[in-house]
Amino acid sequence: MDESTELSLSIAHIAQRLQGSHLHSQIERQAKVSRQLPPSHPPAPPEHLKEPLAYMRKAQASWEKRILKSLNSMSTELGVPLARKRPAAEQKELTNKWNEMGTDEPDLSRFRPVYAPKDFLEVLIGLRNPNHDSCEDISARSQWGLIQVPLNVRDIPHLRQAYSELNLNSGQLGIDDHAHVHPDLFENDYVQIGKKVVVEQDSAAAQQYSRRGCPTGLRADLWALILNSTNQPQDVMHYEQLRAGVIQHDLLVDNLIYKDVKLTASNDDYYFVFEDFLYQVLLCFSRDTAVLEHFKYNSATPPKSFLHGKVGDEEYAVVYPPNGVIPFHGFSMYVAPLCFLYNEPSKLYSVFREMYIRYFFRLHSISSSFSGIVSLCLQFERLLQSHLPQLFYHLRQIGAQPLRIAFKWMVRAFSGYLSTDQLLLLWDRILGYDSLEVVAVLAAAVFAFRAENLMEVKSLASAEAVLADLSTLKVIPLIQIFLFATAI
Amino acid sequence: MSIQTIRNVFSVDTGYRLSDEQLVNHFPNHYELTRKDLMIKNIKRYRKELEKEGSPLAEKDENGKYIYQDFVPVTFMLPADYNLFVEEFRKNPSSTWIMKPCGKAQGKGIFLINKLSQIKKWSRDSRTSTFVAASSGKEAYVISLYIDNPLLIGGKKFDLRLYVLVTTYRPLKCYMYKLGFCRFCTVKYTPSTSELDNMFVHLTNVAIQKHGDDYNHVHGGKWTVSNLRLYLESTRGKEVTNRLFDQIHWIVVQSLKAVAPVMNNDKHCFECYGYDIIIDDKLKPWLIEVNASPSLTSSTANDRILKYNLINDTLNIVTPNGEIPDCRWNRSPPREALGNYLVLYDEEQAQSENAERDLRSRSGQLLGSKGTKASAGARPTTATWK
C-alpha cells in the first residue's frame, strides 16, 4: 500500500468512528456553514453564498437602495451630516455622561425611523419568483396567505422530528418547573446537569441542553458558552475602542438609535430600567466593523456612501454606518432582553453582537434561508392554513390576514411582546436549535390558542385587539401543544 | 377610612363603639409602627428584650452588631438624641445622613446632610426649648445613616414598596402581597456630595419623582418584583436571590413582632401597610419606613390593576366568603381566599409546630437560623384549626 491509500484509509476509519457522535454533527454543521453548498458542486460565486436565488438577491438589493436613499435624503433635508468629528468640548461632555445618556433629551422630533416592520412586510408581500406560475397549482396547495414565493418549509410531522426534545414526555423548563410541580420530579436534577455543563465549558453540550430550557441562574453562562462569547481581555479592549469611536465621532444613525430607544424600550414596563445600557451597546455596535464579516453569508450588502463631492466614484465609497446595519423601528428590542442577563456592558455587547450575526440579521433581510424572515412568514401561514383552515379562511374573509398581525412579533423574535421570563425561554430554544423557526411555530400557536375568540371577530381591528396583549402567555406549553398535540 | 377618621372612632371623647359587624382598616395606635421615630424606639426596645431573654435572635457578631436584628440604618431622634448623634457622626465624619420629619409622608421635608453645621438648628432647640419641641412633635426629625451603597440596576437607584396585611397582632398573623414593585429614580445615581441637593437622585417616592422632567407616564418608573427577581437570579444566581427575599420577609416579621406588645390589638381592626425597603449592593435589605396609608391612587394602567387587586384581595381576607363581617372571626382564611397574598407568619401555627417539634426532638434547639424561621413562616397554611 502506498502512503496516500493508507492515509485515506485511516481518514475513513476516523470518519466511521465519528459517525453518530456529537462531535461529528458539530463538524458537519461547521462544514455546512463554511461551505453552504453540497461538496459535489463546483465552487459557487460569492453572491451565491449570500443568497442562491437571483430574484431574492434582486429584491434585497432594491430594498437596500430604498433605505439608503431615504437615509441620504434625511441627511440632506435636515442638514445633518452622515458623520462629523465632535469638537473637544463635546467629546469631554459625552465622556462624562456615558453612563447616563438617557438623561439627555435631544430634540429628535425631526428624525423619523428609516422604516418600520410594516414597510418591510409590504416588500415581502410583493416578492414573486419569475420562474413560477402560481396559476398552475390553484388546487389544494394554493396559498391563501400573503407570501407568494415557493420555498420549502417544514410541516408539523417534520417539525416533530426536528424538535423531538420538546415532546410531551420530556421535561421542559417553562412547564415542569411550575410551582405546583415538585422540583424533585424534574427541575432539581435538570439544574444539576446544567451546572455540570457550565463547569465543563462544553459549548456543544450547552446548546443541546438549551433545547429544553436554561435555568434562570445559569442562563447567562450557558448562552455565552453556546455563543463562544467569553469576554476575554481583548473583547473588553475591543469594546473600549468602539466606545472611544463613539466619543470621537457623531453619526446621523446615532439619532435614529436614540429615537428608537425612546420610542420602544424607554416606554416598556420591563426594559425602561436599561435605557442607558441600550445606548452603550447600540452606539458601539454601529461603529463595529467586525460586524461586516457576517455579510459573507447575509443576503444583504452593507450600504455605501461617498465622501463629500465624490458621489458615484467607487474609490471614495465607504460603508455607512461602519457596521453596515441601518437600524429600523424596534431594533433596540434585540438588545433589551439581554440586559436581564448581563450587567457588564462589554459582556452584554459581545453576546448581543454574536446573537445578531447568527440570528437577528435574518429577520430583516430578504433571503431564502430556512431561518430567514421570508421562510418564517411562509411557514407561519402554511401551519395556520393546514391546521386551522377555518380560522384562516374566516380571518381572510374579514380582511384580517394573519400575517399582518403576526409579522411584528416575528421581526423582533417576540421581544417586547412577551413577558421577559417567557421570552428568554423562547430564545433558549432559538439557541438550542440554532434556528429561528420556532418563532414561526409560536406565532401560529398563539393564533391556535386564541382561535375561539378570533372566530368571533368581525374586523382586523378587533382581531388585533384579541391579540394585543401576549404578556400573560406561557410560550413553551403553547409550542408543545401545537407541535405534539395537534391532530395531523 | 383615613387615619384621622380612625382616630376619632377610637377617641374617648366621641364615645363611639364599633359593633361586631364593623371592621376598620387601621389599628388605633398604628403609629407605633408607622411613625419613623416610634418604629425605631420599638425596634430598639424589642432588641433589648430579646437580649435579656438570651434569645438566639439577639446574637451579635464579633463587631458587636446584631446578626439578625440589624435591619434598620443607624437612626437618632432629633432634637432628643442630638448629642448621641454627634458622637456617632464624629466617628465617621465623611458619612451622609438623611433627615426626615417624623410625621410627614411622600418624601416631604426630607433632606440630606454631610456636615454638622447643616443641622445646628436642632441642637439649639434641644438646649433651649427641649420639652416644647419634643412634645409638640411638629419639628421632631429622625436622622438616619444614608445607605450610600444602594444596589443599582441599569445604573439607577430604586427602593421596594411591599404591601403587608396584618389581621391581628396577638397572636401575630400577617400576609405578604406578591405584587410589590420597585420604584426607580429617573436620574442617574451618583454618591457624590455635589448632587446632595438634587432630591431626584436620592428619593424614589413617586410623589417626588412625578415632578422630575424625565417622569414617564407609561410605566411610572415602576418595575415589578418579579422583574427584580428575574434580574437578580439571572445576574447573581438563585441562592443569593432566595436569601435576599427570605431576609426581606424576616425583617417584616421582626418589625411587626417589635410593635406587637404595644399595639392596641382591637378585634375590629386590620391594616395594610406599605413597607419601604432599600437593598444595598451586598444584597442586604434595609427597612426604611412603614406607611399606614400607602398610596392607592394609580399612576399608570398597570398600577391601577395592581391596586384594584390589592384592595380586592385584602377585603377577601378580612371578610371571608364575602359575608357580612364579624369581628370575632378566626382570622385564618382558607388558602383559596388568599388571592395574591401569601401567609408570611402565623404565630398560632408556628407555636403549634414548634411544640410538635420540641416534642419530637428534645434537643431544644429552637430555630437558631433565620432561614428556617422565615421559610417556616412563609409556608402557606395547610392545616389551620379553629
Side-chain angles (χ1 to χ4, degrees), chain A residues 99-100 103 105 187 195 216-217 220 266-270 272-274 276-277 339-343 420-421, chain B residues 153-156 184 186-188 214 216 218-219 221-223 227 230-231 233-239 302:
Chain A
N99 287 319
E100 46 184 327
T103 56
E105 291 275 326
E187 196 183 354
K195 284 183 181 160
T216 309
S266 298
N267 290 321
D268 190 288
D269 284 334
Y270 298 97
F272 73 92
V273 176
F274 302 114
D276 294 322
F277 279 12
C339 298
F340 269 84
L341 304 188
Y342 306 99
N343 50 11
T420 310
D421 59 326
Chain B
I153 297 181
K156 296 187 182 80
F184 276 83
T186 49
V187 177
K188 205 80 185 182
D214 296 337
N216 182 303
V218 181
H219 49 70
K222 290 177 182 172
W223 214 42
N227 275 333
L230 179 65
Y231 171 81
E233 248 183 74
S234 302
T235 54
R236 308 255 187 154
K238 191 170 179 144
E239 282 78 17
N302 279 341

Side-chain angles (χ1 to χ4, degrees), chain A residues 201-248:
Chain A
Q201 286 291 297
D202 184 336
S203 176
Q207 185 159 35
Q208 180 64 32
Y209 182 83
S210 187
R211 294 181 170 195
R212 297 205 279 158
C214 298
T216 309
L218 302 175
R219 183 176 282 121
D221 286 339
L222 288 166
W223 283 20
L225 195 53
I226 297 172
L227 297 165
N228 289 320
S229 169
T230 43
N231 207 29
Q232 300 291 318
Q234 60 264 36
D235 298 325
V236 179
M237 216 158 75
H238 180 64
Y239 177 77
E240 285 306 317
Q241 282 165 353
L242 296 171
R243 195 177 99 105
V246 176
I247 286 163
Q248 277 161 17

Side-chain angles (χ1 to χ4, degrees), chain A residues 342-353:
Chain A
Y342 306 99
N343 50 11
E344 206 181 316
S346 67
K347 179 101 189 174
L348 175 63
Y349 178 78
S350 58
V351 168
F352 163 68
R353 191 183 65 184

